[in-house]
Amino acid sequence: GTDYASFWAAGRLALEGEAPGAYDPRVHGALQRDELLGGQEETGYAAFFYPPVFLLGLLPFGALPYLASLALWLALCAGAYFGTVRAIGGNHLGILPVIAFPAVLISLAHGQTSFLITALFAGAILNLGKQPLLAGTFIGALAFKPHFAVLWPIALIARGRWAAFIAAAVTLGALATLSYAVFGAETWAAFLRASHLARATLEQNRVG
C-alpha cells in the first residue's frame, strides 16, 4: 500500500485538524515515517498532491489503524471497480479478465485510486442515458483527480447531455465549497503552494 500510505496520513492529519500539513512533506512525511515505519529514516516518501476535496473522502479512513484502513479502502474501491466493469461487459465479460488485468494487481499492491477512478468513469457511462443526474454526480466526483475529469464537460456539451453537465457542475461546486468550509482557506492555499512540487515530481520522474 505505498500510495495508500499517503492517503491514510493525509486523512489522519485532516481528522486531527491539521489538513494543511497534508501538503507539507515535512509534516506529512513525518507521520508516515513515525506511524507506519517505526521512525526509520531511509525510506521512500509518498507525497499528497490531491485537492482538498479528496480529504473529505479520506476522513473516515484516517480514523482507522493503517492496516484496517487499507483493507477497507481496497475492499470498497475494488468492489466498485469489479461491479461497474462487469455491468458494462454484461454476460459477455467473464470475471477472469476483470481481475487478471495487470493494472488490477498494481492497484492492489499500491492501494492507488485507479479502482475508484475506473468505477466513477464506468458509473457515469452506465447511467448517462438512463439517469443523467446520477451520471453527472459521478463525473463531478472526479474533482478529486481533476485531470481525469477535464474532457468530460466537452464530451457532454458535444452530445447535448445538459442534465449530466449541470449535475457534474453542481457536484463539483458542492465538493469544493464543502472542503473549503471544513478545512479552511489555508488548506486550499497549501495545496496550491505544493503544485510546484507536484510538477517537479512528474517532470523529474521522482515517482519512478
Side-chain angles (χ1 to χ4, degrees):
T2 50
D3 283 32
Y4 189 73
S6 167
F7 307 156
W8 179 86
R12 176 61 59 89
L13 287 168
L15 197 64
E16 295 175 349
E18 300 292 338
Y23 302 101
D24 185 337
R26 294 167 299 178
V27 177
H28 187 240
L31 181 59
Q32 291 182 45
R33 185 170 61 249
D34 296 342
E35 294 292 328
L36 305 180
L37 303 169
Q40 300 178 55
E41 292 291 340
E42 296 300 324
T43 57
Y45 167 61
F48 187 76
F49 296 139
Y50 292 78
V53 295
F54 192 34
L55 291 175
L56 292 171
L58 294 178
L59 285 174
F61 294 95
L64 297 173
Y66 178 74
L67 290 180
S69 182
L70 174 61
L72 179 62
W73 169 263
L74 290 175
L76 292 176
C77 294
Y81 160 77
F82 295 147
T84 51
V85 172
R86 283 298 307 278
I88 287 178
N91 295 328
H92 301 291
L93 183 64
I95 190 65
L96 186 59
V98 179
I99 64 175
F101 185 58
V104 169
L105 305 179
I106 295 172
S107 297
L108 285 173
H110 293 282
Q112 296 172 341
T113 57
S114 307
F115 286 138
L116 179 57
I117 293 167
T118 304
L120 289 172
F121 262 92
I125 292 169
L126 285 167
N127 291 284
L128 195 56
K130 301 175 183 177
Q131 301 184 66
L133 295 181
L134 180 59
T137 301
F138 288 142
I139 294 167
L142 285 167
F144 84 94
K145 202 153 188 176
H147 48 291
F148 281 101
V150 68
L151 292 180
W152 268 107
I154 299 173
L156 293 175
I157 291 172
R159 293 297 302 270
R161 303 284 188 173
W162 297 110
F165 180 88
I166 293 171
V170 170
T171 301
L172 170 61
L175 289 173
T177 301
L178 183 59
S179 66
Y180 187 92
V182 172
F183 304 121
E186 176 54 32
T187 302
W188 275 93
F191 164 64
L192 295 175
R193 287 196 299 270
S195 61
H196 74 281
L197 178 60
R199 177 176 177 174
T201 297
L202 293 175
E203 290 181 344
Q204 300 174 25
N205 194 31
R206 294 182 183 180
V207 173

